[in-house]
Coordinates of all heavy atoms in Angstrom, one line a residue:
M12 N -61.6 -14.8 -54.9 CA -62.2 -13.5 -54.7 C -61.6 -12.5 -55.6 O -60.3 -12.5 -55.9 CB -61.8 -13.1 -53.2 CG -62.3 -11.7 -52.9 SD -61.9 -11.3 -51.1 CE -62.6 -12.6 -50.1
S13 N -62.4 -11.6 -56.2 CA -61.8 -10.7 -57.3 C -60.9 -9.7 -56.5 O -61.0 -9.3 -55.3 CB -63.0 -10.0 -58.0 OG -63.6 -9.0 -57.1
D14 N -60.0 -9.2 -57.4 CA -59.0 -8.1 -56.9 C -59.8 -6.9 -56.4 O -59.4 -6.2 -55.4 CB -58.0 -7.6 -57.9 CG -57.0 -8.7 -58.0 OD1 -56.8 -9.7 -57.1 OD2 -56.1 -8.7 -58.9
V15 N -60.9 -6.5 -57.0 CA -61.7 -5.3 -56.7 C -62.2 -5.6 -55.1 O -62.1 -4.6 -54.3 CB -62.8 -5.0 -57.7 CG1 -63.7 -3.9 -57.1 CG2 -62.3 -4.6 -58.9
L16 N -62.9 -6.8 -55.0 CA -63.4 -6.9 -53.7 C -62.2 -7.0 -52.6 O -62.5 -6.6 -51.5 CB -64.1 -8.4 -53.8 CG -65.0 -8.7 -52.6 CD1 -66.0 -7.5 -52.3 CD2 -65.6 -10.0 -52.7
R17 N -61.1 -7.6 -52.9 CA -60.0 -7.6 -52.0 C -59.5 -6.3 -51.7 O -59.1 -6.1 -50.4 CB -58.9 -8.5 -52.6 CG -59.2 -10.0 -52.7 CD -58.1 -10.8 -53.2 NE -56.9 -10.8 -52.4 CZ -55.8 -11.3 -52.7 NH1 -55.7 -12.0 -53.9 NH2 -54.7 -11.4 -51.9
W18 N -59.4 -5.5 -52.7 CA -59.1 -3.9 -52.3 C -60.1 -3.3 -51.4 O -59.8 -2.4 -50.5 CB -58.9 -3.3 -53.7 CG -57.6 -3.4 -54.4 CD1 -57.4 -4.0 -55.5 CD2 -56.4 -2.8 -53.8 NE1 -56.0 -3.8 -55.8 CE2 -55.4 -3.3 -54.8 CE3 -56.0 -2.0 -52.8 CZ2 -54.1 -2.9 -54.7 CZ3 -54.6 -1.7 -52.7 CH2 -53.7 -2.1 -53.6
L19 N -61.4 -3.7 -51.7 CA -62.5 -2.8 -51.0 C -62.5 -3.3 -49.6 O -62.5 -2.6 -48.7 CB -63.8 -3.2 -51.6 CG -65.1 -2.6 -50.9 CD1 -65.0 -1.1 -50.9 CD2 -66.3 -3.1 -51.5
I20 N -62.5 -4.6 -49.3 CA -62.5 -5.2 -47.9 C -61.0 -4.8 -47.2 O -61.3 -4.3 -46.1 CB -62.7 -6.7 -48.0 CG1 -64.1 -7.0 -48.5 CG2 -62.5 -7.3 -46.6 CD1 -64.5 -8.5 -48.8
G21 N -60.0 -5.1 -47.8 CA -58.7 -4.8 -47.2 C -58.7 -3.2 -46.9 O -58.2 -2.9 -45.7
G22 N -59.1 -2.4 -47.9 CA -59.0 -1.0 -47.7 C -60.0 -0.6 -46.4 O -59.5 0.3 -45.6
L23 N -61.1 -1.1 -46.4 CA -62.0 -0.8 -45.3 C -61.4 -1.2 -43.9 O -61.5 -0.5 -43.0 CB -63.4 -1.4 -45.4 CG -64.2 -0.8 -46.5 CD1 -65.5 -1.5 -46.8 CD2 -64.6 0.6 -46.2
L24 N -60.8 -2.4 -43.8 CA -60.2 -2.9 -42.6 C -59.0 -2.1 -42.3 O -58.9 -1.7 -41.0 CB -59.8 -4.4 -42.8 CG -60.8 -5.4 -42.9 CD1 -60.4 -6.8 -43.2 CD2 -61.6 -5.5 -41.4
L25 N -58.3 -1.6 -43.2 CA -57.2 -0.7 -42.9 C -57.6 0.8 -42.3 O -57.0 1.4 -41.5 CB -56.1 -0.6 -44.1 CG -55.4 -1.8 -44.4 CD1 -54.6 -1.6 -45.7 CD2 -54.4 -2.2 -43.2
V26 N -58.7 1.2 -43.0 CA -59.2 2.5 -42.5 C -59.7 2.3 -41.1 O -59.5 3.2 -40.2 CB -60.3 2.9 -43.5 CG1 -61.2 4.1 -42.8 CG2 -59.8 3.4 -44.8
F27 N -60.4 1.2 -40.8 CA -60.9 0.9 -39.4 C -59.7 0.9 -38.5 O -59.7 1.4 -37.4 CB -61.7 -0.3 -39.4 CG -62.1 -0.7 -38.0 CD1 -63.2 0.0 -37.4 CD2 -61.4 -1.6 -37.3 CE1 -63.6 -0.3 -36.1 CE2 -61.9 -1.9 -35.9 CZ -63.0 -1.3 -35.4
F28 N -58.6 0.2 -39.0 CA -57.4 0.1 -38.1 C -56.8 1.4 -37.7 O -56.5 1.7 -36.6 CB -56.3 -0.8 -38.8 CG -54.9 -0.5 -38.3 CD1 -54.6 -0.8 -37.0 CD2 -54.1 0.2 -39.2 CE1 -53.3 -0.7 -36.7 CE2 -52.8 0.4 -38.7 CZ -52.5 0.0 -37.4
A29 N -56.7 2.3 -38.8 CA -56.2 3.7 -38.6 C -57.0 4.4 -37.7 O -56.5 5.1 -36.8 CB -56.1 4.4 -40.0
G30 N -58.4 4.4 -37.8 CA -59.2 5.1 -36.8 C -59.0 4.5 -35.4 O -58.9 5.4 -34.4
A31 N -58.9 3.2 -35.2 CA -58.8 2.6 -33.9 C -57.5 2.9 -33.2 O -57.4 3.3 -32.1 CB -59.1 1.1 -34.0
A32 N -56.5 2.8 -34.1 CA -55.1 3.1 -33.5 C -55.0 4.6 -33.2 O -54.4 4.9 -32.1 CB -54.1 2.7 -34.6
T33 N -55.5 5.5 -34.0 CA -55.5 6.9 -33.7 C -56.3 7.3 -32.4 O -55.8 8.0 -31.5 CB -56.0 7.7 -34.8 OG1 -55.2 7.4 -36.0 CG2 -56.0 9.2 -34.5
T34 N -57.4 6.7 -32.3 CA -58.3 6.8 -31.1 C -57.6 6.3 -29.8 O -57.5 7.0 -28.7 CB -59.6 6.1 -31.2 OG1 -60.3 6.7 -32.4 CG2 -60.6 6.3 -30.0
N35 N -56.9 5.2 -29.9 CA -56.2 4.5 -28.8 C -54.9 5.5 -28.4 O -54.8 5.7 -27.2 CB -55.7 3.1 -29.1 CG -56.8 2.1 -29.0 OD1 -57.9 2.3 -28.4 ND2 -56.6 1.0 -29.6
I36 N -54.3 6.1 -29.3 CA -53.2 7.1 -28.9 C -53.7 8.3 -28.3 O -53.1 8.8 -27.4 CB -52.5 7.2 -30.3 CG1 -51.6 6.1 -30.7 CG2 -51.5 8.4 -30.0 CD1 -50.9 6.3 -32.1
I37 N -54.8 8.8 -28.9 CA -55.4 10.0 -28.3 C -55.9 9.7 -26.9 O -55.7 10.5 -25.9 CB -56.5 10.7 -29.2 CG1 -56.0 11.1 -30.4 CG2 -57.4 11.7 -28.4 CD1 -57.1 11.3 -31.5
L38 N -56.6 8.6 -26.6 CA -57.0 8.3 -25.2 C -55.8 8.1 -24.3 O -56.0 8.5 -23.1 CB -57.9 7.0 -25.3 CG -59.2 7.2 -26.0 CD1 -59.9 5.8 -26.0 CD2 -60.1 8.2 -25.3
A39 N -54.7 7.5 -24.8 CA -53.6 7.3 -23.9 C -52.9 8.6 -23.5 O -52.6 8.9 -22.4 CB -52.6 6.5 -24.7
I40 N -52.9 9.6 -24.6 CA -52.4 10.9 -24.3 C -53.2 11.6 -23.3 O -52.7 12.2 -22.3 CB -52.1 11.6 -25.6 CG1 -51.0 11.0 -26.4 CG2 -51.8 13.1 -25.3 CD1 -50.9 11.4 -27.8
R41 N -54.5 11.6 -23.5 CA -55.4 12.3 -22.6 C -55.4 11.7 -21.1 O -55.4 12.5 -20.2 CB -56.9 12.3 -23.2 CG -57.1 13.1 -24.4 CD -58.4 13.0 -24.9 NE -59.4 13.7 -24.0 CZ -60.6 13.9 -24.2 NH1 -61.1 13.5 -25.2 NH2 -61.3 14.6 -23.3
A42 N -55.2 10.3 -21.1 CA -55.1 9.7 -19.8 C -53.8 10.3 -19.1 O -53.8 10.6 -17.9 CB -55.1 8.3 -19.9
R43 N -52.7 10.5 -19.8 CA -51.4 10.8 -19.2 C -51.5 12.3 -18.9 O -51.0 12.7 -17.8 CB -50.4 10.6 -20.3 CG -49.0 10.8 -19.8 CD -48.5 9.9 -18.8 NE -47.1 10.2 -18.4 CZ -46.6 10.2 -17.3 NH1 -47.4 9.9 -16.4 NH2 -45.3 10.5 -17.0
L44 N -52.0 13.1 -19.8 CA -52.0 14.6 -19.5 C -53.0 15.1 -18.5 O -52.8 15.9 -17.7 CB -52.1 15.4 -20.9 CG -51.0 15.2 -21.9 CD1 -51.3 16.0 -23.1 CD2 -49.6 15.7 -21.3
H45 N -54.3 14.5 -18.7 CA -55.4 15.0 -17.9 C -56.0 14.2 -16.8 O -56.8 14.5 -16.2 CB -56.6 15.5 -18.9 CG -56.1 16.4 -20.0 ND1 -55.8 17.7 -19.6 CD2 -56.0 16.2 -21.3 CE1 -55.5 18.4 -20.8 NE2 -55.6 17.4 -21.8
G46 N -55.4 12.9 -16.8 CA -55.8 12.0 -15.8 C -57.0 11.3 -16.0 O -57.7 10.7 -15.2
E47 N -57.6 11.5 -17.4 CA -58.8 10.9 -17.7 C -58.5 9.4 -18.0 O -57.5 9.1 -18.7 CB -59.3 11.5 -18.9 CG -59.8 13.0 -18.8 CD -60.1 13.6 -20.1 OE1 -60.3 12.9 -21.1 OE2 -60.3 14.8 -20.1
H48 N -59.3 8.5 -17.5 CA -59.2 7.1 -17.8 C -60.2 6.6 -18.7 O -61.4 6.6 -18.5 CB -59.1 6.4 -16.4 CG -57.9 6.8 -15.7 ND1 -56.7 6.6 -15.8 CD2 -58.0 7.6 -14.6 CE1 -55.8 7.1 -15.0 NE2 -56.6 7.6 -14.2
H49 N -59.8 6.1 -19.9 CA -60.7 5.5 -20.8 C -60.1 4.1 -21.2 O -58.9 3.8 -21.1 CB -60.8 6.3 -22.0 CG -61.2 7.7 -21.9 ND1 -62.5 8.0 -21.7 CD2 -60.6 8.9 -21.8 CE1 -62.7 9.4 -21.6 NE2 -61.6 9.9 -21.6
S50 N -61.1 3.3 -21.5 CA -60.6 2.0 -21.9 C -60.0 1.9 -23.4 O -60.8 2.2 -24.4 CB -61.8 0.9 -21.8 OG -61.5 -0.4 -22.3
L51 N -58.8 1.4 -23.6 CA -58.3 1.2 -25.0 C -59.0 -0.1 -25.4 O -59.1 -1.1 -24.7 CB -56.8 1.0 -24.8 CG -56.0 2.2 -24.3 CD1 -54.6 1.9 -24.3 CD2 -56.2 3.4 -25.2
V52 N -59.3 -0.2 -26.7 CA -59.9 -1.4 -27.3 C -58.8 -2.3 -27.7 O -58.2 -2.0 -28.7 CB -60.9 -1.1 -28.5 CG1 -61.5 -2.3 -29.0 CG2 -62.0 0.0 -28.0
P53 N -58.4 -3.3 -26.9 CA -57.2 -4.1 -27.3 C -57.5 -5.1 -28.5 O -58.6 -5.7 -28.6 CB -57.1 -4.9 -26.0 CG -58.3 -5.0 -25.4 CD -59.1 -3.8 -25.6
F54 N -56.7 -5.2 -29.4 CA -56.6 -6.1 -30.5 C -57.6 -5.9 -31.5 O -57.4 -6.4 -32.7 CB -56.7 -7.6 -30.0 CG -55.4 -8.2 -29.6 CD1 -55.3 -8.7 -28.2 CD2 -54.3 -8.2 -30.3 CE1 -54.2 -9.2 -27.7 CE2 -53.2 -8.7 -29.9 CZ -53.0 -9.3 -28.6
V55 N -58.7 -5.2 -31.3 CA -59.7 -5.0 -32.4 C -59.1 -4.2 -33.7 O -59.1 -4.7 -34.8 CB -60.9 -4.2 -31.9 CG1 -61.9 -4.0 -33.1 CG2 -61.6 -5.1 -30.8
G56 N -58.5 -3.2 -33.4 CA -57.8 -2.4 -34.4 C -56.6 -3.0 -35.0 O -56.4 -3.1 -36.3
G57 N -55.8 -3.7 -34.2 CA -54.6 -4.3 -34.6 C -55.0 -5.5 -35.5 O -54.4 -5.9 -36.6
L58 N -56.0 -6.4 -35.1 CA -56.5 -7.5 -35.9 C -57.0 -7.1 -37.2 O -56.8 -7.6 -38.2 CB -57.4 -8.4 -35.1 CG -56.8 -9.1 -34.0 CD1 -57.9 -9.9 -33.2 CD2 -55.6 -10.0 -34.5
A59 N -57.9 -5.9 -37.2 CA -58.4 -5.4 -38.5 C -57.3 -5.0 -39.4 O -57.3 -5.3 -40.6 CB -59.3 -4.3 -38.2
G60 N -56.2 -4.4 -38.9 CA -55.1 -4.1 -39.7 C -54.4 -5.3 -40.2 O -54.0 -5.4 -41.5
C61 N -54.1 -6.3 -39.5 CA -53.5 -7.5 -39.9 C -54.3 -8.2 -41.0 O -53.8 -8.5 -42.0 CB -53.4 -8.6 -38.7 SG -52.2 -8.1 -37.4
L62 N -55.7 -8.4 -40.9 CA -56.5 -8.8 -42.0 C -56.5 -8.0 -43.1 O -56.4 -8.6 -44.3 CB -57.9 -9.1 -41.4 CG -58.1 -10.2 -40.4 CD1 -59.5 -10.1 -39.9 CD2 -57.8 -11.5 -41.0
G63 N -56.5 -6.6 -43.0 CA -56.5 -5.9 -44.2 C -55.2 -6.0 -45.0 O -55.3 -6.1 -46.2
L64 N -54.0 -6.2 -44.3 CA -52.8 -6.3 -45.0 C -52.7 -7.8 -45.8 O -52.2 -7.8 -46.8 CB -51.6 -6.2 -44.2 CG -51.3 -4.8 -43.7 CD1 -50.1 -4.7 -42.7 CD2 -51.0 -3.8 -44.9
L65 N -53.3 -8.7 -45.2 CA -53.4 -10.0 -45.7 C -54.3 -10.2 -46.9 O -54.1 -11.0 -47.8 CB -53.6 -11.1 -44.6 CG -52.5 -11.3 -43.6 CD1 -53.0 -12.2 -42.5 CD2 -51.3 -11.9 -44.2
I66 N -55.4 -9.5 -46.7 CA -56.4 -9.5 -47.8 C -56.1 -8.8 -49.1 O -56.5 -9.1 -50.2 CB -57.8 -9.0 -47.3 CG1 -58.4 -10.1 -46.3 CG2 -58.9 -8.7 -48.4 CD1 -59.5 -9.5 -45.5
L67 N -55.4 -7.7 -48.9 CA -55.0 -6.8 -50.2 C -54.3 -7.7 -51.1 O -53.5 -8.7 -50.8 CB -54.1 -5.6 -49.8 CG -54.8 -4.5 -49.0 CD1 -53.8 -3.4 -48.6 CD2 -55.9 -3.9 -49.8
P68 N -54.5 -7.5 -52.4 CA -53.9 -8.2 -53.5 C -52.5 -7.9 -53.7 O -51.9 -8.6 -54.7 CB -54.8 -8.0 -54.6 CG -55.4 -6.6 -54.4 CD -55.6 -6.5 -52.9
L69 N -51.8 -7.2 -52.9 CA -50.3 -6.9 -53.0 C -49.5 -7.9 -52.2 O -49.6 -7.8 -50.9 CB -50.0 -5.5 -52.7 CG -50.7 -4.3 -53.5 CD1 -50.3 -2.9 -52.8 CD2 -50.1 -4.4 -54.9
E70 N -48.9 -8.8 -52.8 CA -48.1 -9.8 -52.1 C -47.1 -9.3 -51.2 O -46.7 -9.8 -50.2 CB -47.6 -10.8 -53.0 CG -48.6 -11.6 -53.9 CD -49.4 -12.6 -53.1 OE1 -48.9 -13.2 -52.1 OE2 -50.6 -12.8 -53.4
A71 N -46.5 -8.1 -51.6 CA -45.3 -7.6 -50.8 C -45.9 -7.1 -49.5 O -45.0 -7.0 -48.5 CB -44.9 -6.3 -51.6
L72 N -47.1 -6.8 -49.3 CA -47.6 -6.3 -48.0 C -47.9 -7.5 -47.0 O -47.9 -7.2 -45.9 CB -48.9 -5.6 -48.2 CG -48.8 -4.2 -48.9 CD1 -50.0 -3.5 -49.1 CD2 -47.8 -3.3 -48.0
H73 N -48.1 -8.6 -47.6 CA -48.4 -9.7 -46.7 C -47.4 -10.1 -45.8 O -47.6 -10.6 -44.6 CB -48.7 -11.0 -47.7 CG -49.9 -10.9 -48.4 ND1 -50.4 -11.9 -49.3 CD2 -50.6 -9.9 -48.6 CE1 -51.4 -11.5 -49.9 NE2 -51.7 -10.2 -49.6
A74 N -46.2 -9.8 -46.1 CA -45.1 -10.1 -45.0 C -45.1 -9.1 -43.9 O -44.4 -9.3 -42.9 CB -43.7 -10.1 -45.8
W75 N -45.7 -8.0 -43.9 CA -45.9 -7.0 -43.0 C -47.2 -7.1 -42.2 O -47.6 -6.2 -41.4 CB -45.8 -5.6 -43.6 CG -44.4 -5.4 -44.3 CD1 -44.2 -5.6 -45.6 CD2 -43.3 -4.9 -43.7 NE1 -42.9 -5.3 -45.8 CE2 -42.2 -4.9 -44.6 CE3 -42.9 -4.5 -42.4 CZ2 -41.0 -4.5 -44.4 CZ3 -41.6 -4.2 -42.1 CH2 -40.7 -4.1 -43.1
W76 N -47.8 -8.2 -42.1 CA -49.1 -8.5 -41.4 C -49.0 -8.1 -39.9 O -50.0 -7.8 -39.3 CB -49.6 -9.9 -41.6 CG -48.7 -10.8 -41.0 CD1 -47.6 -11.6 -41.4 CD2 -48.7 -11.4 -39.6 NE1 -47.0 -12.4 -40.6 CE2 -47.7 -12.2 -39.4 CE3 -49.6 -11.0 -38.5 CZ2 -47.4 -12.9 -38.1 CZ3 -49.3 -11.6 -37.3 CH2 -48.3 -12.6 -37.1
W77 N -47.8 -8.2 -39.3 CA -47.7 -8.1 -37.9 C -47.4 -6.6 -37.4 O -47.6 -6.4 -36.2 CB -46.5 -9.0 -37.4 CG -45.2 -8.5 -38.3 CD1 -44.8 -9.1 -39.3 CD2 -44.4 -7.6 -37.9 NE1 -43.6 -8.6 -39.8 CE2 -43.3 -7.5 -38.9 CE3 -44.2 -6.6 -36.9 CZ2 -42.3 -6.7 -39.0 CZ3 -43.0 -5.7 -36.9 CH2 -42.1 -5.7 -37.9
V78 N -47.1 -5.7 -38.3 CA -46.9 -4.3 -38.0 C -48.2 -3.7 -37.3 O -47.9 -2.9 -36.3 CB -46.5 -3.5 -39.2 CG1 -46.4 -2.0 -39.0 CG2 -45.2 -4.1 -39.7
P79 N -49.3 -3.9 -37.8 CA -50.6 -3.2 -37.1 C -50.6 -3.6 -35.6 O -51.2 -2.7 -34.8 CB -51.7 -3.7 -37.8 CG -51.3 -3.9 -39.2 CD -49.9 -4.5 -39.0
L80 N -50.2 -4.8 -35.3 CA -50.2 -5.2 -33.7 C -49.3 -4.3 -32.9 O -49.4 -4.1 -31.8 CB -50.0 -6.7 -33.5 CG -51.1 -7.6 -34.1 CD1 -50.8 -9.1 -34.0 CD2 -52.3 -7.3 -33.3
I81 N -48.2 -4.0 -33.6 CA -47.2 -3.1 -32.9 C -47.6 -1.7 -32.8 O -47.4 -1.0 -31.9 CB -45.8 -3.3 -33.6 CG1 -45.4 -4.9 -33.7 CG2 -44.7 -2.5 -32.8 CD1 -45.3 -5.5 -32.3
I82 N -48.1 -1.2 -33.9 CA -48.5 0.3 -34.0 C -49.7 0.5 -33.2 O -49.7 1.6 -32.5 CB -48.9 0.6 -35.6 CG1 -47.5 0.5 -36.3 CG2 -49.5 2.0 -35.6 CD1 -47.8 0.7 -37.9
D83 N -50.7 -0.3 -33.0 CA -51.9 -0.1 -32.2 C -51.6 -0.2 -30.8 O -51.2 -1.3 -30.3 CB -53.0 -1.0 -32.6 CG -54.3 -0.7 -31.9 OD1 -54.3 0.3 -31.3 OD2 -55.2 -1.5 -32.1
I84 N -51.6 0.9 -30.0 CA -51.2 1.0 -28.6 C -52.1 0.1 -27.8 O -51.6 -0.5 -26.7 CB -51.1 2.4 -28.1 CG1 -50.4 2.5 -26.9 CG2 -52.5 3.0 -28.0 CD1 -49.9 3.9 -26.4
G85 N -53.3 -0.2 -28.1 CA -54.1 -1.0 -27.4 C -53.7 -2.5 -27.5 O -53.7 -3.1 -26.5
A86 N -53.4 -2.9 -28.6 CA -52.7 -4.3 -28.8 C -51.5 -4.3 -28.2 O -51.2 -5.3 -27.5 CB -52.8 -4.6 -30.3
G87 N -50.7 -3.4 -28.2 CA -49.3 -3.4 -27.6 C -49.4 -3.5 -26.1 O -48.7 -4.4 -25.5
Y88 N -50.3 -2.8 -25.5 CA -50.5 -2.8 -24.1 C -50.9 -4.2 -23.7 O -50.4 -4.9 -22.8 CB -51.4 -1.9 -23.5 CG -50.9 -0.4 -23.3 CD1 -51.8 0.6 -23.3 CD2 -49.6 -0.2 -23.0 CE1 -51.4 1.9 -23.1 CE2 -49.1 1.1 -22.7 CZ -50.0 2.1 -22.8 OH -49.7 3.4 -22.6
L89 N -51.9 -4.8 -24.4 CA -52.4 -6.1 -24.0 C -51.3 -7.2 -24.2 O -51.1 -8.1 -23.4 CB -53.6 -6.4 -24.9 CG -54.3 -7.7 -24.4 CD1 -54.7 -7.7 -23.0 CD2 -55.5 -8.0 -25.4
M90 N -50.5 -7.1 -25.3 CA -49.4 -8.1 -25.5 C -48.4 -8.1 -24.4 O -47.9 -9.0 -23.9 CB -48.8 -7.9 -27.0 CG -49.7 -8.3 -28.1 SD -48.9 -8.4 -29.7 CE -48.4 -6.6 -29.9
L91 N -48.1 -6.7 -24.1 CA -47.0 -6.6 -23.0 C -47.6 -7.2 -21.8 O -46.8 -7.8 -20.9 CB -46.7 -5.1 -22.9 CG -45.8 -4.7 -21.8 CD1 -44.3 -5.4 -22.1 CD2 -45.5 -3.2 -21.7
A92 N -48.9 -6.9 -21.3 CA -49.4 -7.4 -20.1 C -49.4 -9.0 -20.1 O -49.1 -9.6 -19.1 CB -50.9 -6.9 -20.0
V93 N -49.7 -9.5 -21.3 CA -49.7 -11.1 -21.3 C -48.2 -11.6 -21.1 O -48.1 -12.6 -20.3 CB -50.3 -11.5 -22.7 CG1 -49.9 -13.0 -22.9 CG2 -51.7 -11.2 -22.8
V94 N -47.3 -10.9 -21.7 CA -45.9 -11.4 -21.5 C -45.5 -11.1 -20.1 O -44.9 -12.1 -19.5 CB -44.9 -10.5 -22.4 CG1 -43.5 -10.9 -22.0 CG2 -45.3 -10.9 -23.9
V95 N -45.8 -10.1 -19.5 CA -45.5 -9.8 -18.0 C -46.1 -10.8 -17.1 O -45.5 -11.4 -16.3 CB -45.9 -8.4 -17.6 CG1 -45.6 -8.2 -16.1 CG2 -44.9 -7.4 -18.4
V96 N -47.4 -11.1 -17.3 CA -48.1 -12.0 -16.5 C -47.6 -13.4 -16.6 O -47.3 -14.2 -15.7 CB -49.6 -12.0 -16.7 CG1 -50.3 -13.1 -16.1 CG2 -50.2 -10.7 -16.4
G97 N -47.2 -13.8 -17.9 CA -46.7 -15.1 -18.2 C -45.2 -15.2 -17.6 O -44.9 -16.3 -16.9
V98 N -44.5 -14.4 -17.6 CA -43.1 -14.4 -17.1 C -43.1 -14.5 -15.5 O -42.5 -15.2 -14.9 CB -42.2 -13.2 -17.5 CG1 -41.0 -13.0 -16.7 CG2 -41.9 -13.3 -19.0
R99 N -44.1 -13.6 -14.8 CA -44.2 -13.8 -13.5 C -44.7 -15.1 -13.1 O -44.2 -15.6 -12.0 CB -45.2 -12.6 -13.0 CG -44.6 -11.2 -13.1 CD -45.6 -10.1 -12.7 NE -45.8 -10.3 -11.2 CZ -46.8 -9.6 -10.6 NH1 -47.7 -8.9 -11.3 NH2 -47.0 -10.0 -9.4
W100 N -45.6 -15.7 -13.7 CA -46.2 -17.1 -13.5 C -45.1 -18.1 -13.6 O -44.9 -18.8 -12.7 CB -47.3 -17.3 -14.4 CG -47.8 -18.8 -14.2 CD1 -48.7 -19.2 -13.3 CD2 -47.4 -20.0 -14.9 NE1 -48.9 -20.5 -13.4 CE2 -48.2 -21.0 -14.4 CE3 -46.6 -20.2 -15.9 CZ2 -47.9 -22.3 -14.8 CZ3 -46.3 -21.4 -16.4 CH2 -47.1 -22.4 -15.9
L101 N -44.3 -17.9 -14.6 CA -43.2 -18.9 -14.8 C -42.0 -18.7 -13.7 O -41.7 -19.7 -13.1 CB -42.4 -18.6 -16.3 CG -41.4 -19.6 -16.6 CD1 -41.9 -21.0 -16.6 CD2 -40.9 -19.2 -17.9
L102 N -41.8 -17.5 -13.2 CA -40.9 -17.2 -12.3 C -41.3 -17.9 -10.9 O -40.6 -18.5 -10.2 CB -40.4 -15.9 -12.1 CG -39.6 -15.3 -13.3 CD1 -39.4 -13.8 -13.1 CD2 -38.3 -15.9 -13.4
R103 N -42.5 -17.6 -10.6 CA -43.2 -18.2 -9.4 C -43.1 -19.7 -9.4 O -42.9 -20.3 -8.4 CB -44.6 -17.7 -9.1 CG -44.7 -16.4 -8.4 CD -46.0 -16.1 -8.0 NE -46.4 -14.8 -8.7 CZ -47.4 -14.6 -9.4 NH1 -48.2 -15.5 -9.6 NH2 -47.6 -13.5 -10.0
R104 N -43.5 -20.3 -10.5 CA -43.5 -21.8 -10.6 C -42.0 -22.3 -10.5 O -41.8 -23.3 -9.7 CB -44.0 -22.2 -11.9 CG -44.1 -23.7 -12.2 CD -44.8 -23.9 -13.4 NE -44.6 -25.3 -13.8 CZ -45.4 -26.3 -13.4 NH1 -46.4 -26.0 -12.6 NH2 -45.2 -27.5 -13.9
L105 N -41.1 -21.6 -11.0 CA -39.8 -22.2 -10.9 C -39.2 -22.0 -9.5 O -38.5 -22.9 -9.0 CB -38.8 -21.4 -11.8 CG -39.0 -21.6 -13.3 CD1 -38.0 -20.7 -14.2 CD2 -38.6 -23.1 -13.7
R106 N -39.5 -20.9 -8.8 CA -39.1 -20.7 -7.3 C -39.8 -21.7 -6.5 O -39.2 -22.3 -5.6 CB -39.6 -19.4 -6.8 CG -38.4 -18.3 -7.2 CD -38.6 -16.9 -6.5 NE -38.5 -16.0 -7.6 CZ -39.4 -15.0 -7.8 NH1 -40.5 -15.0 -7.2 NH2 -39.1 -14.1 -8.7
S107 N -41.2 -22.0 -6.8 CA -41.8 -22.9 -5.9 C -41.5 -24.3 -6.1 O -41.6 -25.2 -5.2 CB -43.3 -22.7 -6.1 OG -43.7 -23.2 -7.3
T108 N -40.9 -24.7 -7.2 CA -40.6 -26.0 -7.5 C -39.0 -26.3 -7.5 O -38.5 -27.2 -8.1 CB -41.1 -26.5 -8.9 OG1 -40.6 -25.6 -9.9 CG2 -42.6 -26.5 -8.9
A109 N -38.2 -25.3 -7.0 CA -36.7 -25.4 -7.0 C -36.4 -26.6 -6.1 O -36.8 -26.9 -5.1 CB -36.1 -24.2 -6.3
G110 N -35.5 -27.4 -6.8 CA -35.0 -28.6 -6.2 C -35.9 -29.9 -6.4 O -35.5 -30.9 -6.2
R111 N -37.1 -29.7 -7.1 CA -37.9 -30.8 -7.3 C -37.9 -31.1 -9.0 O -37.7 -30.0 -9.7 CB -39.4 -30.6 -6.9 CG -39.5 -30.5 -5.4 CD -40.9 -30.4 -5.0 NE -41.4 -29.2 -5.4 CZ -42.7 -28.7 -5.3 NH1 -43.5 -29.6 -4.7 NH2 -43.1 -27.5 -5.6
D112 N -38.1 -32.2 -9.2 CA -38.2 -32.6 -10.6 C -39.7 -32.6 -11.1 O -40.4 -33.4 -10.8 CB -37.7 -34.1 -10.8 CG -37.6 -34.4 -12.4 OD1 -37.4 -33.6 -13.1 OD2 -37.6 -35.6 -12.6
V113 N -40.0 -31.4 -11.8 CA -41.4 -31.3 -12.3 C -41.5 -31.5 -13.7 O -42.6 -31.4 -14.2 CB -41.8 -29.9 -11.8 CG1 -42.0 -29.8 -10.4 CG2 -41.0 -28.8 -12.5
W114 N -40.6 -31.4 -14.4 CA -40.6 -31.5 -15.9 C -40.4 -33.0 -16.2 O -40.5 -33.7 -17.0 CB -39.5 -30.8 -16.6 CG -39.6 -29.4 -16.2 CD1 -38.8 -28.7 -15.4 CD2 -40.6 -28.3 -16.6 NE1 -39.1 -27.5 -15.2 CE2 -40.1 -27.1 -16.0 CE3 -41.7 -28.4 -17.5 CZ2 -40.9 -25.9 -16.1 CZ3 -42.4 -27.2 -17.5 CH2 -42.0 -26.0 -16.8

């Protein structure tokens, strides 16, 4: 893939990420201040940002592919929810199998 095409596609993905992340932050603030409830679009913006950083022809940016997932509040909420649910499931499983050999 030519560098021009990589700049174009990567740049568009990063612009989309910036818009999605900004929108998610605005929606979260409005929900907190005004009680309005809107759906955050999980992972879409974060994944676009990850792909954008990986596609750009600057090798130094490739190591930072994970940052958009942390910055985008929609992806952050979803990742946190997955971790909480997973830990709760694991704790319930450990409590219910206490004293039995399950592994």
